[in-house]
């Protein structure tokens, strides 16, 4: 086992309550709909069945609610297309196990957690450069025609905050189909748009896609409930792996979520409140960043939880973060999101977890380390 | 992926509400301490932190409670020795990943779920025959000196209900130490004794053991909370794998459990009520079985959830269960618990899930299929 711990998780455990953290992907806990979740919990809490073992693919009531939402969004889905997972982290683990030892095309930079999982299951990663509107299509096709498997985060990508244009989405779908390959589309942030929702690439790839979703960013992370949407036959194969990993995801919280989601007006209102709050935070963070550290170049985020940018090649942000840690402020250096982890001048900031005061204070502390 | 689904899980999903099930390891849901869990839930439900991401090794409060209980039982343990897992199924998966591609000595018959996990992670299994008081020690040493790794269930084994004698426990510990190998001791049923608790083999192997526990059989299965107890350094290595599989186990239910376990008198009383109920059920099941199907030879269980026995070699219980399914009664045929799955006359009965009426009715239905 040569696996290293995730830098982000290590930081999460090393920092104390006085550290201002722009690392991590922590949603703002002020936005957790605690009263509504409590109400749903109380509705199911006396029923013995919510405490018993349940089926491996997830309770029918929850899969139905998730399928209904996809269908409403224009992506026809039934509960047989859904596999409930212990967070979308597990969804990725299951897929990595399913595709173990294969080659895979990924974005660079890409999600650290996914890269660790791919390494653990001996997938050979091939990076394709991300541009402002998605991966470089020529480079992508060149890589995909060999790997026939790709992992993409088209909406408010982690870490880069990039969102794919409609055109690039269509081109990716065409390429995946042309080579009869497979798309793993990771969508934890898709609902957190500030302007409008983009169509999923998977909608054009019914047989050749795995679409990953999660309640960690839209409701609460601690329940650890995510899912995979795929062709029914593929779901059946994945269920065998899921079953052997943990039999099933926590049944109790699945029942709470299924109860909560019955009222989709309530859920929609809740999502809108997150979008409003995060948009305000993103604007604020971006503006303050331009004022306090003008030498850091970035674009204003259009959704999600991250702001990404670069100092250019004069500053090594991995070296810088060690200094910042001493002053009790932390972010994730960009090199962590590349396959070779070569030092660079990039930074991923999470802007959802800190309040306005902490944002200013934290940015000034970073400035003082330069 | 050549993995087959677990026969038991398949049955669980195939049967309807009218089927009498002696299959599965379902605890009796009449014994779930719902009122007390509800009380604990209400104590933590308003605290935002129980909804946020948490550490990968499990919340400190819960690890402390588990460590305290071990220490009280004479097995000195601190929270650093504990890794919280998504059920003990995941504990096994993590260990199988840790030891992937290695050889491993197991009991025959053994736990189906573990065998599936070992297969999935390319462990080569070597079976050693179980006797009434544990594995055949000579055979065990012969196998272990090559594999240096073993997976045992010394208390009320699944499926055989066998409990290791004090002498065999000591001998196993000596052999593991002699070859500087590793013991994985799976203990989901240890607290469900009808007479007395036996010492864990791991108590004599502080550096060379992984001890697996779970709340699925003692409290409720649906929370999916289990754990691994091991040397602190080993816990750190396993945590990297755990983190990559699902980041962490459901934080919400971890807080509920930590709250519930604060009152250990209440927990002890609850455990005693399960023991009393299961002992009554075991006696009843065993007596009715002797009356209704006297040709099935078995020993009365001393704890746990299963009764195991055999028709001898005249009856193939795998063929028989297909007939039984049509009559709406089901058990797990013994061949499922062997590496080669060769048909035999053995059966594992779960006696904790059915009521007295269902026990008589189910046994009579099986008799009618003979």
């Amino acid at each position: 086992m040569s696996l290293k711990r995730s830098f982000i998780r290590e930081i999460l455990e090393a920092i104390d309550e006085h550290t201002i953290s722009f690392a991590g992907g922590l949603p703002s806990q002020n936005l957790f709909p605690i009263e509504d979740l409590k109400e749903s919990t109380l509705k199911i809490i006396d029923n013995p069945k919510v405490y018993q073992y349940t089926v491996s693919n997830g309770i029918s009531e929850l899969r139905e609610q998730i399928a209904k939402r996809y269908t409403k969004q224009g992506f026809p889905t039934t509960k047989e297309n859904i596999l409930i997972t212990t967070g979308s982290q597990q969804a990725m683990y299951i897929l990595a196990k399913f595709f173990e030892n294969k080659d895979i095309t990924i974005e660079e930079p890409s999600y650290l957690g996914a890269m660790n999982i791919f390494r653990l299951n001996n997938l050979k990663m091939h990076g394709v450069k991300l541009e402002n509107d998605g991966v470089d299509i020529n480079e992508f096709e060149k890589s995909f025609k060999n790997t026939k498997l790709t992992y993409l985060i088209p909406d408010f990508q982690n870490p880069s905050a990039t969102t794919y244009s409609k055109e690039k989405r269509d081109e990716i779908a065409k390429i995946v189909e042309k080579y009869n390959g497979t798309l793993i589309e990771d969508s934890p942030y898709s609902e957190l748009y500030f302007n409008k929702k983009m169509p999923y690439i998977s909608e054009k790839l019914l047989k050749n896609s795995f679409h990953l979703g999660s309640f960690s960013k839209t409701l609460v992370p601690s329940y650890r409930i995510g899912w995979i949407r795929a062709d029914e036959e593929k779901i059946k194969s994945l269920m065998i792996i899921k079953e052997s990993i943990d039999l099933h995801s926590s049944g109790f919280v699945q029942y709470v979520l299924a109860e909560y989601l019955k009222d989709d007006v309530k859920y929609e209102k809740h999502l809108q409140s997150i979008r409003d709050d995060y948009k305000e935070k993103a604007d604020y963070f971006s503006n303050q960043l331009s004022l306090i550290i003008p030498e850091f170049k970035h674009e204003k985020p259009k959704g999600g939880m991250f702001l990404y940018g670069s100092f250019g090649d004069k500053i090594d942000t991995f070296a810088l973060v060690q200094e910042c840690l001493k002053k009790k402020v932390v972010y994730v250096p960009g090199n962590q999101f590349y396959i070779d982890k070569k030092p660079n001048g990039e930074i991923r900031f999470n802007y959802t977890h800190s309040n306005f005061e902490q944002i200013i204070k934290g940015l000034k502390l970073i400035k003082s380390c330069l």
Side-chain angles (χ1 to χ4, degrees), chain A:
Chain A
M1 298 301 316
S2 67
L3 193 73
K4 291 244 182 60
R5 292 207 59 206
S6 144
F7 176 79
I8 298 178
R9 300 290 296 173
E10 268 185 6
I11 282 185
L12 276 180
E13 282 166 39
I15 62 179
D16 61 30
E17 53 195 311
H18 305 296
T19 309
I20 295 172
S21 175
F22 302 137
L26 293 186
S28 170
Q29 62 188 46
N30 299 327
L31 294 167
F32 295 159
I34 297 181
E35 278 311 309
D36 288 335
L37 290 173
K38 184 174 176 180
E39 197 186 310
S40 302
T41 307
L42 289 174
K43 276 193 187 148
I44 61 106
I45 203 166
D46 295 313
N47 189 341
K49 82 169 174 186
V50 308
Y51 299 97
Q52 188 56 283
Y53 281 114
T54 186
V55 288
S56 301
N57 51 342
I59 66 166
S60 176
E61 295 90 327
L62 181 59
R63 288 184 289 121
E64 255 164 35
Q65 296 290 351
I66 293 168
K68 225 171 78 184
R69 191 163 177 86
Y70 272 116
T71 305
K72 217 175 111 186
Q73 291 175 337
F75 191 7
T77 301
T78 69
K79 65 178 178 183
E80 287 75 21
N81 297 123
I82 306 293
L83 175 69
I84 301 293
T85 59
T86 307
S88 70
Q89 180 83 9
Q90 191 192 50
M92 252 165 314
Y93 189 93
I94 291 169
L95 287 167
K97 184 74 192 163
F98 186 71
F99 288 112
E100 69 183 333
N101 303 319
K102 297 244 188 317
D103 287 53
I104 186 163
T105 301
I106 66 168
E107 298 149 339
E108 275 202 297
S110 184
Y111 172 49
L112 199 49
M115 292 164 82
N116 279 335
I117 289 174
F118 295 153
R119 254 180 229 114
L120 188 64
N121 290 286
N122 296 315
L123 279 94
K124 191 158 181 277
M125 291 177 274
H126 303 268
V128 172
K129 205 179 158 335
L130 256 182
E131 299 170 336
N132 282 346
D133 58 348
V135 283
D136 176 311
I137 289 291
N138 286 332
E139 259 200 68
F140 178 80
E141 179 163 5
K142 227 184 283 173
S143 175
F144 188 81
K145 87 176 162 197
N146 295 315
T147 64
K148 294 191 170 54
L149 177 64
T150 187
Y151 168 76
L152 305 176
I153 314 166
D155 300 314
F156 323 115
Q157 201 245 15
N158 177 2
S160 72
T162 304
T163 287
Y164 283 51
S165 64
K166 176 83 181 59
E167 293 67 36
K168 285 212 169 164
R169 286 169 199 255
D170 291 347
E171 288 185 83
I172 300 263
K174 267 183 216 151
I175 294 169
V176 171
E177 205 153 45
K178 178 173 165 189
Y179 297 101
N180 194 22
T182 304
L183 165 69
I184 300 173
E185 182 175 20
D186 193 8
S187 291
Y189 315 106
S190 305
E191 300 272 16
L192 307 183
Y193 51 85
F194 300 157
N195 301 306
K196 60 168 184 173
K197 203 187 154 305
M198 298 288 279
Y200 299 126
I201 302 177
S202 300
E203 294 175 25
K204 303 203 162 177
L205 294 164
L206 293 183
K207 294 267 171 202
N208 294 17
S209 69
F210 296 95
H211 190 264
L212 274 49
S214 168
F215 292 115
S216 293
K217 317 298 184 190
T218 56
L219 284 168
V220 293
S222 92
Y223 284 0
R224 310 303 305 122
I225 298 294
W227 67 87
I228 303 174
R229 189 230 172 271
D231 175 63
E232 190 177 340
E233 284 311 304
K234 289 213 170 73
I235 290 291
K236 281 184 189 158
S237 306
L238 298 183
M239 185 164 66
I240 299 175
I241 302 175
K242 159 70 182 169
E243 181 174 56
S244 106
I245 293 178
D246 63 8
L247 291 185
H248 63 79
S249 299
S250 176
F252 184 83
V253 296
Q254 286 188 59
Y255 280 103
V256 174
L257 283 174
E259 183 63 39
Y260 174 88
L261 293 169
K262 275 184 193 167
D263 185 347
D264 57 354
V265 177
K266 188 171 64 185
Y267 183 43
E268 201 50 65
K269 253 172 97 173
H270 166 67
L271 287 173
Q272 195 52 48
S273 73
I274 302 184
R275 289 171 199 137
D276 294 345
D277 185 274
Y278 284 9
K279 181 176 187 323
E280 195 187 349
K281 282 254 181 74
D283 287 348
Y284 188 83
F285 199 104
S286 171
N287 293 340
Q288 292 302 322
L289 184 54
S290 300
L291 284 172
I292 299 169
I293 319 179
E295 58 270 49
F296 186 82
K297 302 298 171 210
H298 74 279
E299 283 195 43
K300 197 167 274 197
K302 297 190 179 76
M305 305 171 65
F306 302 111
L307 181 153
Y308 200 80
S310 176
F311 283 111
D313 51 14
K314 281 154 293 184
I315 290 180
D316 168 1
T317 53
F318 186 71
L320 182 67
V321 79
Q322 321 294 334
E323 291 310 304
C324 290
L325 260 169
K326 290 177 202 159
K327 296 209 177 173
K328 302 241 176 252
V329 60
V330 68
Y331 60 78
V332 184
N335 74 320
Q336 294 298 308
F337 306 108
Y338 287 82
I339 297 169
D340 65 7
K341 300 208 174 170
K342 224 171 61 191
N344 65 33
E346 299 166 16
I347 286 180
R348 185 193 80 177
F349 289 109
N350 165 268
Y351 54 78
T352 60
H353 185 61
S354 310
N355 61 35
F356 290 162
E357 197 189 333
Q358 291 168 323
I359 290 171
I360 293 195
K361 195 176 160 195
L363 290 176
K364 285 186 176 164
L365 284 172
I366 294 172
K367 176 73 178 180
S368 74
C369 294
L370 288 172

